[in-house]
Amino acid sequence: MIEPIHDKIKRSIHAAEGLYHRLVLLVGESGSGKTGVLRAVAAEFGSTVINVNLALSYELQELTARQRVICLSDILHQIANQAQSPVLLDNLEILFDKDLKQDPLRLLQSISRNQTVVASWNGIIHSGRLFYAETGHPEYRSYESVDALIVGMDGTATIDAEKNNR
């Protein structure tokens, strides 16, 4: 029997408790069902899913372009700190906006230092690399080394690889 993805997320949340960055990334392409999985996890933990695009847009709307770049990290920390653990983040596209001059993965790692964070990642894992967007796209990102637990919408999970290496 194949283990459901939300169960892999739950196991990853528990495994993340002892890590430096308590970050779990739910990786899948647009329309793959990440939001539904996050909602199922939220229901089990009595938590809510935060729409990052909506929350940050609201907080950034009154700021100048320069203030947005400077304040975004602090605002994201405040949003996460007000949430119940595990913090469940969806719709992260705003973090990739070139005008905001941020490194989305580093932002997520930063907020996961003091609390467990599960974030949807609109992209793929291929040959051990984490990708966001297509090559040539202005928001394209590629990460070779990711300090996070990863659960793919294809059913793969770093927690499974760790279990098999024991």
Side-chain angles (χ1 to χ4, degrees), residues 18-166:
L19 300 178
Y20 185 78
H21 293 114
R22 292 182 265 171
L23 178 61
V24 178
L25 295 176
L26 178 58
V27 178
E29 296 188 56
S30 182
S32 61
K34 296 181 300 295
T35 299
V37 171
L38 286 178
R39 286 182 182 153
V41 172
E44 288 192 41
F45 281 92
S47 185
T48 59
V49 178
I50 298 169
N51 181 328
V52 174
N53 287 342
L54 187 63
L56 278 177
S57 294
Y58 178 79
E59 295 294 330
L60 296 173
Q61 69 183 347
E62 300 293 325
L63 302 178
T64 66
R66 179 171 160 72
Q67 289 172 322
R68 289 175 183 162
V69 172
I70 294 168
C71 296
L72 185 133
S73 177
D74 289 338
I75 293 170
L76 186 59
H77 273 86
Q78 289 172 4
I79 291 168
N81 287 337
Q82 293 171 358
Q84 181 178 339
S85 189
V87 179
L88 304 171
L89 304 176
D90 198 14
N91 304 107
L92 306 178
E93 294 82 2
I94 193 170
L95 300 180
F96 293 86
D97 186 324
K98 287 292 187 188
D99 294 334
L100 293 174
K101 301 175 183 158
Q102 303 293 320
D103 182 333
L105 181 59
R106 302 299 168 247
L107 278 172
L108 295 173
Q109 287 173 328
S110 174
I111 64 172
S112 70
R113 280 292 299 122
N114 298 318
Q115 58 195 338
T116 303
V117 174
V118 179
S120 67
W121 186 276
N122 208 7
I124 61 168
I125 291 278
H126 181 69
S127 300
R129 292 185 71 89
L130 178 65
F131 294 94
Y132 179 88
E134 298 284 328
T135 306
H137 190 280
E139 296 173 348
Y140 171 80
R141 296 289 176 126
S142 170
Y143 296 94
E144 185 172 346
S145 177
V146 179
D147 189 8
L149 294 174
I150 298 173
V151 177
M153 288 302 293
D154 62 359
T156 60
T158 53
I159 192 90
D160 293 337
E162 291 171 6
K163 185 171 73 174
N164 292 335
N165 289 335
R166 287 187 197 144

